[in-house]
Amino acid sequence: MARTWTLDTLVEGVRKADRRALARAITLVESSDPLAYDLIREVYPETGGAYAIGVTGPPGVGKSSLLSAIVRHVREGGASVGVISVDPSSPFTKGALLGDRIRLADHFLDPEVFIRSMGTRGHLGGLAETTLQAALVLDAAGKELVFLETVGAGQSEVEVITIADTVVLVLMPGSGDSIQALKAGIMEIPDVIAVNKRDHPAAKTMVSEVRSILALGSERDWRPPIVLTEAVRGEGIEELWAAITDHRRHLEETGTLEERRARNLAGEVFAVASARAKTHLEEAVAEDEELRRLLGEVQRRELDPLTAVREIMEKVFKVGQGHGDSNGSDTR
Ligand SMILES: Nc1nc2c(ncn2[C@@H]2O[C@H](COP(=O)(O)OP(=O)(O)OP(=O)(O)O)[C@@H](O)[C@H]2O)c(=O)[nH]1
Ligand SMILES: [Mg+2]
C-alpha cells in the first residue's frame, strides 16, 4: 500500500533506519523534492557519525564484487552498512547495472545493510549533490559505514568521490587505461589501491607498474598501500579492509580527518552553488532575448567577449563593477 510521507514520519523513519523511509528519502533526494531538502536540514546536525568509503575505478574491474566481499567482511564484525552505487545509465552498461544488483544481492536480506543504486543521469542538482544528500540520509540513519561506488571516469564522478573519507581505487591487470589515468593525476585521489583479479597472469606486473608510478608522486605523509585481491573468491579482502582501517586510523591520529571533512564539505557547498549558478545562468540567457542578442553580437565580432560577460553578470546576478572596472580608469 502506498504511503504518504510527511516530514515528521520521514525524519522519524530515517532516524530508525526504516528501509522504506530510507528508500523514499533517497528517491526524494534524486528528484530534488522540497521534502528531501527539509529532511536533510532537519537531520544534518546529527550526521558525521558515518565513515564514508569511496570505491572507484574503470568499468568492470570488479568494484561491485569487491564491495560485496567487503560488506560481507565488515558485517562479520557487526557494523551497520549503507551502500550507494552510482551506475552509469548508458545503454551500454545495462548489463553491468544488472550485474551490480546481483553481486550485491547477497546482502538484500540483511536488515543492517541498505543498498541503493542510482543512475548518473537526470539529477537536477547534479550527481555530486544527489550523492552527498543520499550519503547524509544513510549517515543520519546511523549507518556506521557508508560505501560509495562510482566508475572513475569523468569529472562528476571525481566530485562524487571527494566526499569520501577514504578512497579506494580499484584496478585490474592488463588495463593500460588505468595506468594512464593514474599518471594523468587521478593519482592524487586514492588512499588505497586494490589490484583486483589477481588470478590474472599479469597481476604482478600491474602491481609493479602501479608502484613505480606511485614512487613518482609527491612526498605525502600517507603512501597509498597496494593490495592484491580476487573479489569473486574473497581473496585479499582482509588485507584490503586492514589497509582501509589503517588509513582511517592515520587520519584520526594526525587530526586530518576533521580537516579533510571540513575541506570536503566546503568544496561540496562550492560545487553545488557553482552548478546552480551555471543552471541559473543558462536558463536566464535562454529566456532573455537581450542576453541572447549579446551572444550574437560576440559571435559577429561586434562586441568583445568580456563586455558581454559584464553585461550578463550585471543582469543575471546583479554583480558587476568588481574586477572589471579597470577599463580606462587605470592611469598608470
Ligand atoms: N577473474 C576474476 N574476475 C573477477 C574478479 N572480480 C570480479 N570479477 C568479474 O569481473 C566482472 C566485473 O565485475 P564487477 O564487480 O561488476 O565490476 P565493476 O567494477 O563493479 O563494474 P562496473 O560497475 O560495470 O564498472 C564480473 O564478471 C566479475 O565476476 C576477480 O577477482 N577475478
Ligand atoms: Mg559495479
Side-chain angles (χ1 to χ4, degrees):
M1 201 179 71
R3 167 168 180 185
T4 328
W5 296 90
T6 63
L7 178 59
D8 286 346
T9 57
L10 200 58
V11 167
E12 205 190 302
V14 165
R15 283 191 180 129
K16 286 195 307 208
D18 172 75
R19 299 177 84 85
R20 290 200 306 151
L22 293 181
R24 186 70 198 153
I26 296 179
T27 301
L28 292 169
V29 158
E30 282 193 284
S31 52
S32 296
D33 192 288
L35 191 52
Y37 176 87
D38 292 341
L39 167 74
I40 302 293
R41 195 187 46 207
E42 191 77 17
V43 299
Y44 186 68
E46 300 151 34
T47 60
Y51 194 82
I53 297 153
V55 177
T56 189
V61 291
K63 298 178 293 299
S64 300
S65 308
L66 267 183
L67 203 46
S68 184
I70 293 173
V71 169
R72 189 171 308 119
H73 181 70
V74 299
R75 284 298 297 139
E76 282 166 15
S80 59
V81 172
V83 178
I84 298 165
S85 178
V86 182
D87 288 309
S89 47
S90 121
F92 303 110
T93 53
K94 278 274 162 51
L97 207 153
L98 183 66
D100 265 353
R101 301 236 162 94
I102 292 166
R103 269 178 272 293
L104 289 164
D106 297 1
H107 305 289
F108 281 171
L109 292 177
D110 183 342
E112 295 296 317
V113 179
F114 182 87
I115 297 169
R116 175 65 174 250
S117 284
M118 300 198 312
T120 51
R121 305 247 177 92
H123 301 281
L124 287 172
L127 185 59
E129 176 179 333
T130 308
T131 316
L132 173 67
Q133 305 275 307
L136 287 172
V137 168
L138 297 180
D139 190 336
K143 297 298 181 195
E144 292 158 86
L145 299 169
V146 171
F147 293 93
L148 305 165
E149 177 190 346
T150 71
V151 175
Q155 182 60 35
S156 64
E157 282 79 13
V158 170
E159 272 172 26
V160 166
I161 219 71
T162 52
I163 66 172
D165 299 315
T166 296
V167 174
V168 181
L169 174 65
V170 185
L171 300 171
M172 67 178 223
S175 164
D177 291 2
S178 344
I179 291 289
Q180 287 315 314
L182 268 181
K183 283 184 183 157
I186 297 181
M187 209 40 255
E188 292 300 314
I189 300 165
D191 302 302
V192 173
I193 296 177
V195 174
N196 190 41
K197 308 198 185 183
R198 76 175 187 195
D199 46 314
H200 192 288
K204 290 264 154 53
T205 320
M206 183 70 181
V207 171
S208 38
E209 274 181 77
V210 171
R211 194 163 285 141
S212 64
I213 292 171
L214 283 183
L216 301 173
S218 54
E219 209 44 61
R220 290 201 293 170
D221 57 350
W222 173 261
R223 261 187 189 272
I226 306 167
V227 186
L228 270 164
T229 57
E230 189 182 341
V232 284
R233 294 183 351 131
E235 307 274 353
I237 302 306
E238 251 169 71
E239 292 83 344
L240 178 58
W241 184 246
I244 294 169
T245 315
D246 281 350
H247 179 249
R248 177 179 188 167
R249 199 176 311 117
H250 165 80
L251 290 181
E252 285 168 351
E253 282 172 3
T254 53
T256 37
L257 180 59
E258 285 316 305
E259 222 173 87
R260 182 174 173 134
R261 286 185 169 179
R263 195 176 58 231
N264 288 352
L265 286 169
E268 213 53 47
V269 170
F270 265 88
V272 173
S274 313
R276 296 237 172 133
K278 184 163 180 268
T279 307
H280 179 67
L281 182 61
E282 284 164 357
E283 283 168 6
V285 173
E287 283 161 16
D288 190 314
E289 211 170 307
E290 197 189 318
L291 294 179
R292 281 205 312 277
R293 185 178 48 75
L294 284 175
L295 287 181
E297 286 174 9
V298 174
Q299 286 158 348
R300 291 191 300 274
R301 299 194 185 264
E302 294 163 12
L303 183 73
D304 71 282
L306 289 189
T307 304
V309 167
R310 211 165 82 152
E311 292 197 26
I312 289 171
M313 293 303 281
E314 272 172 21
K315 190 147 185 204
V316 179
F317 295 112
K318 317 276 181 279
V319 290
Q321 316 302 329
H323 300 295
D325 63 356
S326 63
N327 39 329
S329 60
D330 192 337
T331 49
R332 273 172 302 170

